[in-house]
Amino acid sequence: MKRNKNLSIVSLVLLLSILFIASSSTVSVDARKHHSKKTKPHKHPKDKGENGGSSFPGPAPAPPADYGPVPTQSSIFDVLFFGAKGDGVSDDSKALLAAWKAACKIPGATVEIPSEFKFLINPITLQGPCMPHLVLQIDGTVLAPSKVGSWPKSSLFQWINFKWLHNFTIQGSGTVDGQGSNWWSSTSAASQSKHIKALRFYSSYDVNVRDIKIIDSPQCHLKFDSSGGVKISNITISSPADSPNTDGIHLQNTQDVQIQHSNIGCGDDCISIQAGCTNVHVHHINCGPGHGISLGGLGKDETIACVSNIVVENISVQNTLSGVRIKTWQGGRGSVKNVTFRNARVSDVKVPIIIDQFYCDKSFCKNQTKAVEISGVKYDQIIGTYSVKPFHLACSNGVPCTDIGLTDIQLNPSPSHQGFQKGLCNNSYGKSRAPLVPSSIDYCLGSGGDAVRRISRSHDYVC
Ligand SMILES: *[C@@H]1O[C@H](CO)[C@@H](O)[C@H](O)[C@H]1NC(C)=O
Ligand SMILES: *[C@@H]1O[C@H](CO)[C@@H](O)[C@H](O)[C@H]1NC(C)=O
Ligand SMILES: *[C@@H]1O[C@H](CO)[C@@H](O)[C@H](O)[C@H]1NC(C)=O
Ligand SMILES: *[C@@H]1O[C@H](CO)[C@@H](O)[C@H](O)[C@H]1NC(C)=O
Ligand SMILES: *[C@@H]1O[C@H](CO)[C@@H](O)[C@H](O)[C@H]1NC(C)=O
Ligand SMILES: CC(=O)N[C@H]1CO[C@H](CO)[C@@H](O)[C@@H]1O
């Protein structure tokens, strides 16, 4: 009985599949005939030809742009094959753009800037969305136009603008050279605009930048704006100490960032973390010369600025204006919360620890009662030498700094300087823990910050 039942099921299945194949092949042949009346049959590599007898579905739809495995055979789009000269004089922007556009359509493609060539690139936008795993491999040198006047007026914001990219990598042993020296010395209106970024990412997610050198930008070297999932590692950024407004890395409205194992030395902030940034982890960075690692200036022109969950650790800072700094403009609103500066070695730093709620870039800024609230800032193992004063915590009476932690701070005057100032602590509340050098740090923070905070909080903003 049982065997019979099984047999009948098997034959039923067989019968059904024969019927199915027969009917589907009829339909398919009909469809083809119908189709071929108008156009040639679509070629498909899997097509068995005329006597195959069995039917095949049409070509598979293109796979969705998800993050599947990298194709084993990667496609290289060398700018030289797209007409670039690589002589450092000819304008190779069009070739780069053409290589980019071709590579953008292929998953796992690489745009190659080959070594031993110099490519002069005018201000350009390399935009997505592109297929996943796109790589810009910079092994040669990419040069910006050196004359201020040769920059189009419409492109005074950035040199190479990466826009709307997802799952993208820049890597290689090459150099991105902003040739900024004419900008630094020029007094022209163009050079005074403080907006130029050598490499700028806008609205881009899951981006890696690694191994490359970025040098001599007119102003900021590497900027991320309205982006997320950023990983920067093993890069070198350098411009002279006296180049004005040259930030190293500038983050704005950007989340989930890791900056690690890099050397940054320039005329302004090594790393500048601005409004709208959260979950930023900076570690194993060498910073100097420049202005150090900065959060802010925040709250300029009475804007709301929110910065939170920042960790800066295992860094070394030498020959800079500040070591780790938080600066806010008077009249701003918002908050800086949950920030940790841990294990920073400082050497010949003017003021290693700064909180400045009176930040002002001119000689006079109006005193205002509102301020960006600063709380939950921990300093742990800030060790080394200063050349002006060990710490400067200038918080406002209206919105004091609360829940500040100072643990294991060991700051000594630099042997190569003289005329030191005492550390300053105004309106700062929290806890300190030994070892503390100079010992005056121990009396720096007031207690009872929570009460102060409750009174001072205005909450006319949402972070
Ligand atoms: C791109 O996506 C793949 C798969 O999720 C991931 O392994 C890779 O790290 C991503 N690349 C970047 C630059 O985020
Ligand atoms: C860092 O980058 C350099 C080239 O710029 C490369 O030679 C080196 O292998 C990289 N190091 C790591 C750990 O990736
Ligand atoms: C503080 O920031 C760290 C690092 O980003 C994060 O792990 C932690 O959850 C944050 N704490 C709070 C209370 O948000
Ligand atoms: C920073 O250094 C400490 C002490 O050496 C180590 O425990 C920690 O893992 C380091 N942090 C990172 C992100 O490497
Ligand atoms: C610190 O507080 C003192 C006393 O209130 C004040 O005179 C001084 O201007 C304050 N300094 C700063 C930098 O806020
Ligand atoms: C420009 C100005 O007047 N700034 C002052 C505002 O108030 C603080 C704290 O009292 C002073 O330190 C600033 O100098």
Side-chain angles (χ1 to χ4, degrees):
M1 271 304 273
K2 209 178 176 192
R3 211 158 133 229
N4 263 348
K5 198 179 173 187
N6 279 349
L7 258 179
S8 58
I9 288 172
V10 167
S11 38
L12 184 66
V13 168
L14 262 175
L15 183 66
L16 279 175
S17 32
I18 287 165
L19 278 173
F20 176 74
I21 288 169
S23 66
S24 64
S25 70
T26 318
V27 169
S28 166
V29 167
D30 283 348
R32 252 188 219 193
K33 275 184 190 156
H34 185 71
H35 194 70
S36 63
K37 274 176 197 160
K38 293 180 211 152
T39 57
K40 281 184 181 176
H42 188 85
K43 267 205 179 155
H44 192 268
K46 280 184 196 155
D47 230 322
K48 263 195 185 166
E50 305 309 320
N51 351 321
S54 60
S55 71
F56 289 87
D66 62 7
Y67 305 130
V70 191
T72 45
Q73 226 183 330
S74 73
S75 327
I76 311 278
F77 294 78
D78 188 327
V79 288
L80 290 172
F81 291 114
F82 286 82
K85 295 281 188 296
D87 56 10
V89 181
S90 314
D91 178 1
D92 288 330
S93 321
K94 285 212 174 80
L96 173 57
L97 200 56
W100 176 271
K101 282 187 172 158
C104 180
K105 297 182 190 129
I106 314 285
T110 295
V111 174
E112 169 79 43
I113 310 276
S115 61
E116 290 166 35
F117 290 91
K118 292 184 171 183
F119 301 92
L120 177 67
I121 303 294
N122 279 308
I124 190 177
T125 294
L126 301 177
Q127 87 179 42
C130 292
M131 295 301 273
H133 306 288
L134 180 61
V135 173
L136 176 59
Q137 179 79 29
I138 302 178
D139 290 323
T141 301
V142 183
L143 294 175
S146 64
K147 283 191 195 132
V148 176
S150 59
W151 283 59
K153 283 229 166 54
S154 58
S155 313
L156 285 176
F157 299 105
Q158 58 265 324
W159 171 30
I160 304 182
N161 186 27
F162 297 94
K163 193 159 108 175
W164 301 332
L165 291 170
H166 207 154
N167 199 243
F168 169 67
T169 299
I170 298 184
Q171 60 183 27
S173 54
T175 301
V176 173
D177 183 350
Q179 304 211 90
S181 60
N182 285 322
W183 291 84
W184 309 327
S185 53
S186 170
T187 52
S188 74
S191 68
Q192 298 296 307
S193 85
K194 296 182 186 173
H195 305 294
I196 300 209
K197 299 104 193 169
L199 304 183
R200 183 234 193 182
F201 282 88
Y202 177 74
S203 192
S204 292
Y205 298 87
D206 299 330
V207 172
N208 285 359
V209 177
R210 60 174 179 246
D211 305 342
I212 59 166
K213 281 193 192 64
I214 310 171
I215 64 168
D216 294 347
S217 172
Q219 280 148 355
C220 177
H221 287 77
L222 177 59
K223 163 129 188 178
F224 284 86
D225 188 348
S226 305
S227 294
V230 174
K231 191 169 170 188
I232 298 168
S233 50
N234 190 36
I235 68 166
T236 301
I237 289 179
S238 115
S239 66
D242 59 356
S243 56
N245 300 316
T246 54
D247 280 338
I249 300 171
H250 191 113
L251 304 174
Q252 183 158 29
N253 193 24
T254 291
Q255 295 85 41
D256 305 317
V257 180
Q258 207 176 138
I259 305 176
Q260 58 178 22
H261 300 286
S262 293
N263 289 307
I264 307 172
C266 47
D268 208 313
D269 294 331
C270 291
I271 297 173
S272 167
I273 298 170
Q274 296 287 342
C277 290
T278 184
N279 294 328
V280 178
H281 190 183
V282 174
H283 63 95
H284 297 100
I285 297 296
N286 257 309
C287 161
H291 290 183
I293 310 237
S294 295
L295 273 57
L298 302 168
K300 191 178 186 179
D301 299 328
E302 307 186 5
T303 52
I304 299 177
C306 302
V307 171
S308 62
N309 301 4
I310 311 289
V311 177
V312 176
E313 62 177 338
N314 306 344
I315 59 164
S316 156
V317 184
Q318 58 279 316
N319 233 320
T320 53
L321 187 70
S322 68
V324 291
R325 167 168 72 158
I326 300 175
K327 50 180 182 175
T328 65
W329 298 79
Q330 295 187 75
R333 287 172 300 155
S335 66
V336 174
K337 279 201 171 96
N338 188 21
V339 177
T340 301
F341 298 110
R342 187 190 297 131
N343 189 19
R345 303 276 150 176
V346 295
S347 151
D348 264 342
V349 169
K350 284 200 168 97
V351 186
I353 298 175
I354 297 179
I355 295 181
D356 185 3
Q357 274 189 324
F358 301 95
Y359 183 67
C360 179
D361 66 352
K362 23 188 202 285
S363 53
F364 182 80
C365 291
K366 202 173 66 168
N367 253 347
Q368 301 186 46
T369 49
K370 278 189 176 146
V372 177
E373 182 184 337
I374 297 173
S375 65
V377 182
K378 310 293 178 187
Y379 300 87
D380 185 359
Q381 299 171 64
I382 314 292
I383 298 173
T385 59
Y386 60 88
S387 58
V388 174
K389 69 166 103 162
F391 55 93
H392 180 92
L393 305 183
C395 298
S396 66
N397 189 39
V399 189
C401 300
T402 56
D403 193 18
I404 306 296
L406 291 162
T407 306
D408 191 0
I409 312 295
Q410 301 179 51
L411 296 168
N412 289 293
S414 161
S416 50
H417 289 81
Q418 49 197 343
F420 304 101
Q421 299 168 18
K422 278 196 300 187
L424 176 135
C425 264
N426 276 4
N427 302 307
S428 305
Y429 297 86
K431 289 199 181 82
S432 53
R433 207 167 55 190
L436 297 169
V437 178
S439 55
S440 60
I441 299 178
D442 206 11
Y443 315 108
C444 168
L445 301 174
S447 53
D450 281 346
V452 174
R453 191 208 307 233
R454 267 195 301 277
I455 295 162
S456 71
R457 268 194 179 167
S458 45
H459 281 300
D460 54 353
Y461 62 87
V462 186
C463 270

